[in-house]
Structure formats: C-alpha cells, structure tokens
Amino acid sequence: MKHILASLAILLAASAATAQENYNGNGSNDSYQLLPDGRATLRLKAPKGHKVSLFATFVPEAWADMTYNDSIKAYEYTTAAPITNDFHTYKFFMDEVGFTDPENVHVVRDVTWQNNYVLPKGDGNDHATLMSVNNVPHGSLTDVWYYSPSEQKSRRMNVYLPAGYFTDTNRRYPVLYLLHGMGGDENAWPMLGRVPQIMDNLIARGKAEPMIVVIPNGVIDVDAAAGYGTAGLVQPQAEFPRLFTGHYEMAFPEIVNFADSAFRTIPDKHHRAIAGLSMGGYNSANISRQYPHLFDYVGLFSAATIESVTTGERLKQFLPAELMNTPIFENFDGKLKAQFEAKPALYWIAIGKDDFLYDANTDYRRKLDSFGFPYTYYETEGGHTWANWRDYIINFAPLLFK
C-alpha cells in the first residue's frame, strides 16, 4: 500500500508540475516557411470547409485568401514573388474571426491587433540584419517614470542606453527623443520599430554615434501604455481628447528636464534630436518650432502637419475646435522663422509615395521652400507603414551628432 501511495504521489506531483508550466510538448513551428527562392508560405492546420484568409505585411495589398491542401490537411498561401528581408507581421482569419498563429509564439501588438511576427535572416548588409540581435555590444532598454508637473502625475517612458553606459560612468551622451504615432505608445518603437536592435547594430558598425534614445508616451491623457499604467488592463485605443491639441508639446520640456537630471546626457541643443512618425512627426515639428533652442536635429517621418490636422478630411475629426487654444497654433510662420534663424543642424523630412499624408507633406515643403528654409528630403516607395518608419530611423540616426 505504501508503494502504491508513493507512486501516486509521484504521478500527482509530475502532473501538477506539468500543469503549472503549461507544457504541452514541442510545437511543429512549420506554419511559416521561407522557400529557397525567397518566397514565403503560410499554413494553418484546421478542418476543411471554412473561409480562411490572412493579413500579412509581405502580401500584396496586405490581404490574401488561403486554399485548402488535402495532402497536409491545412490551409495554405504562398507569395508569388520573393519577400523583402524585413520584420514582417501576420495573422489569420477564419470565417472573418481573427486570431494569431497557434504555432508561432512570437507576438507583437499594434494598437488593438495582436500579430505574429517573423524576421528573415539577413545577408549581413541589409535591414533585416540591422533589426536582428547580432554578436555586438548591446545597450539596455529600461522603462522609467517621470513626474509631470503640468499633469500632476507620473508618466512612463522607455529609454535606450547604449553599450558601455554602465561601465564608463564618466562618459556623457547625446539624446534622441523618439515619438510614436496615433494609436501607439511608449512600447511601439521598441517592439514594432526594433529600435534597440537597430541602435546596437548601427553603433557597433560605427554608423551612428553612441546615444541615449528617450521614447516617451505621447498621449497626454494617459500615464502609460495600456496594461502598464494606473488604469490597469484596459483595452488599447487610438482616440483621445488631447491627441493634437498641443498640450503634450507644451509640456515636453518636462521630459527633457527629467532626462537631463536622470541620465548622463550632454544637456545642450547641439546634442539633442527629436523625431517621430505620423502624430509623433506632428509633435516633433510643433515642439521644435515652439522651443527653437532645444533641438538641433529634427526628423519628421510620415508626419501629420498643422494643416492636415486642422483642415484635412482624415484627421480634423480628432481636433475639436474648442481645444485649439494652446500656443502651438499661434504665430506659426513667425515661430518657424525663429526656428530656422537658430540654424538647426538637420531638418529631415521622409514620406512614402503612397502615404495618405503625402500631399500634406508636399504642401509643407512648399512652405519651407517659400521661406528658403533648408531641409533634407527622403522619399520612399510604400505608404504609412512600419516598414518605412524602420527604414527612416535606420537612415536618420547616422546623420545625428556628427
């Protein structure tokens, strides 16, 4: 009897341990396959008779239907052409219900969508290599909280500290302030933008100066990304009352002051840069114009402009007229002149040919041209996508602090 009880106890302990670890064996991980010719195949094992489609950044027009393959009892899709060596995301839809790939544990969030991601192995000289973890000195990514006097609450940011920050304690660094877009948060650039990996690799190759990258939350109405702040496990959302009102821009010196006090920065204009995508580009243009002696380098990635927000059909709905009462909207041309009279080292504008903000950026460049203000323009294929924004940071960062 004692032997039976002992054996039972061992079985129960093993079962409990298995349940605790939620271990169910090795996954097959064959749902995504990169073919020798560079094309990609996605597969979903599921019963026949459903309408199955997928959303993927490497698929033309992003959407595609999958067909059932009886021999492997799975739905299947293969791209017609080789895919780019880039950080790609995808998810499946069965009968219009979306879900992540159960055989791929690598998941990233983009606003409310959970997507799987894949990163093809680079050839050593391409963007995929720069986005990958390589055998180079690594920096550190840390989340920190700062107190905002204007909002009377603490707010969260992510900060990238370059390799050597903790060992060479006498060295001080320039700072890039990197802002996300509408629907994003302080986790967007680290997760979707691959900024820690990109910076590690650019710095290791000598293409970029070692720098601190401050990635704050750009939504003044919240203190942190959904699930990371005092609101708890709330659903992420894209729309907030003060997204474009200028309140965030007016309070931005609080972030700079905190960074200069908490980290070993070089606290002057010549060693500060600010850049952002979409709404973050709107913020970056406004902040650098409002405080012309704060930043020497400005990067506008697929940026929303004052005109696109106040009169554009797509964005004006997010800016109630009664909230256009901050100094950001006052004396636009005068402050722009003051900014360029302060002679920024670099004013960099990037946009994709298919971006819905392309015309707005063209109009903004015409304004700069009419005043004779110098800027650098970088135009790419594609639209309002993370593929472009990763490309922009890869090309922008090496131009800083030279």
Side-chain angles (χ1 to χ4, degrees):
M1 184 67 176
K2 289 182 179 179
H3 292 298
I4 295 174
L5 289 175
S7 299
L8 182 59
I10 292 171
L11 287 172
L12 288 173
S15 176
T18 302
Q20 182 180 1
E21 297 298 329
N22 195 27
Y23 180 75
N24 60 0
N26 294 322
S28 61
N29 198 31
D30 61 358
S31 55
Y32 170 83
Q33 182 182 7
L34 187 63
L35 304 178
D37 62 3
R39 293 180 301 148
T41 294
L42 280 174
R43 300 184 183 90
L44 174 66
K45 293 180 180 179
K48 190 175 184 179
H50 295 275
K51 175 179 172 52
V52 177
S53 58
L54 62 89
F55 171 89
T57 57
F58 52 79
V59 171
E61 307 302 325
W63 293 89
D65 291 329
M66 303 181 73
T67 56
Y68 196 77
N69 185 332
D70 284 300
S71 63
I72 61 174
K73 292 182 170 50
Y75 294 87
E76 194 171 44
Y77 172 84
T78 299
T79 61
I83 69 171
T84 58
N85 274 4
D86 203 341
F87 180 89
H88 291 292
T89 60
Y90 71 93
K91 71 185 304 178
F92 294 125
F93 288 80
M94 179 181 289
D95 301 329
E96 299 184 356
V97 177
F99 53 93
T100 55
D101 182 352
E103 295 186 2
N104 182 351
V105 300
H106 303 294
V107 178
V108 67
R109 178 177 65 81
D110 191 358
V111 194
T112 59
W113 271 32
Q114 291 279 359
N115 298 322
N116 295 100
Y117 67 87
V118 294
L119 179 58
K121 185 174 178 59
D123 62 13
N125 298 300
D126 57 10
H127 282 13
T129 303
L130 291 176
M131 296 174 198
S132 300
V133 177
N134 296 303
N135 188 21
V136 299
H138 299 296
S140 301
L141 184 71
T142 181
D143 62 294
V144 297
W145 291 76
Y146 71 98
Y147 182 74
S148 167
S150 62
E151 293 296 306
Q152 297 184 12
K153 64 183 177 184
S154 293
R155 307 189 73 245
R156 183 176 181 264
M157 63 171 68
N158 279 303
V159 180
Y160 167 85
L161 301 170
Y165 183 88
F166 295 105
T167 53
D168 185 356
T169 56
N170 292 317
R171 183 169 182 177
R172 305 186 76 86
Y173 297 87
V175 185
L176 166 61
Y177 293 84
L178 191 57
L179 313 184
H180 61 79
M182 182 177 175
D185 51 54
E186 70 274 19
N187 294 334
W189 271 111
M191 292 191 305
L192 291 158
R194 304 289 288 182
V195 162
Q197 295 81 9
I198 289 170
M199 294 308 302
D200 279 352
N201 290 312
L202 288 177
I203 292 170
R205 294 181 178 205
K207 291 186 175 181
E209 294 294 313
M211 69 185 77
I212 296 169
V213 184
V214 173
I215 309 171
N217 187 295
V219 181
I220 198 71
D221 299 288
V222 301
D223 58 4
Y228 290 81
T230 56
L233 300 181
V234 295
Q235 182 74 352
Q237 64 184 78
E239 299 179 22
F240 292 90
R242 294 185 290 166
L243 282 181
F244 295 99
T245 62
H247 290 83
Y248 178 68
E249 289 94 319
M250 293 305 299
F252 202 83
E254 299 172 353
I255 295 174
V256 177
N257 291 338
F258 171 80
D260 286 343
S261 65
F263 302 100
R264 295 195 311 278
T265 68
I266 305 175
D268 60 41
K269 173 189 175 183
H270 304 298
H271 295 92
R272 292 194 194 104
I274 187 168
L277 69 90
S278 194
M279 182 187 77
Y282 171 85
N283 298 145
S284 297
N286 291 342
I287 293 164
S288 62
R289 188 179 66 252
Q290 186 68 28
Y291 305 105
H293 298 288
L294 209 53
F295 300 97
D296 214 13
Y297 300 83
V298 180
L300 310 182
F301 306 167
S302 308
T305 64
I306 287 282
E307 289 79 6
S308 67
V309 170
T310 55
T311 63
E313 291 302 316
R314 191 157 180 178
L315 292 177
K316 67 179 182 180
Q317 60 182 309
F318 303 114
L319 181 60
E322 64 272 17
L323 291 180
M324 290 178 56
N325 54 9
T326 65
I328 291 299
F329 301 99
E330 299 172 357
N331 191 23
F332 181 96
D333 289 353
K335 285 187 288 189
L336 194 61
K337 290 178 182 178
Q339 179 178 8
F340 279 90
E341 285 173 357
K343 299 186 182 302
L346 177 67
Y347 200 91
W348 200 82
I349 300 172
I351 190 78
K353 294 178 182 178
D354 299 322
D355 199 301
F356 78 94
L357 289 169
Y358 184 87
D359 290 342
N361 275 247
T362 300
D363 292 340
Y364 184 60
R365 288 193 295 114
R366 287 196 186 105
K367 176 181 281 291
L368 297 178
D369 291 337
S370 70
F371 288 120
F373 296 153
Y375 61 90
T376 300
Y377 180 59
Y378 179 64
E379 185 173 291
T380 59
E381 301 296 329
H384 213 67
T385 65
W386 274 105
N388 267 341
W389 302 325
R390 287 186 294 265
D391 176 58
Y392 298 164
I393 193 62
I394 286 171
N395 283 276
F396 179 71
L399 303 176
L400 304 178
F401 315 123
K402 298 297 187 181

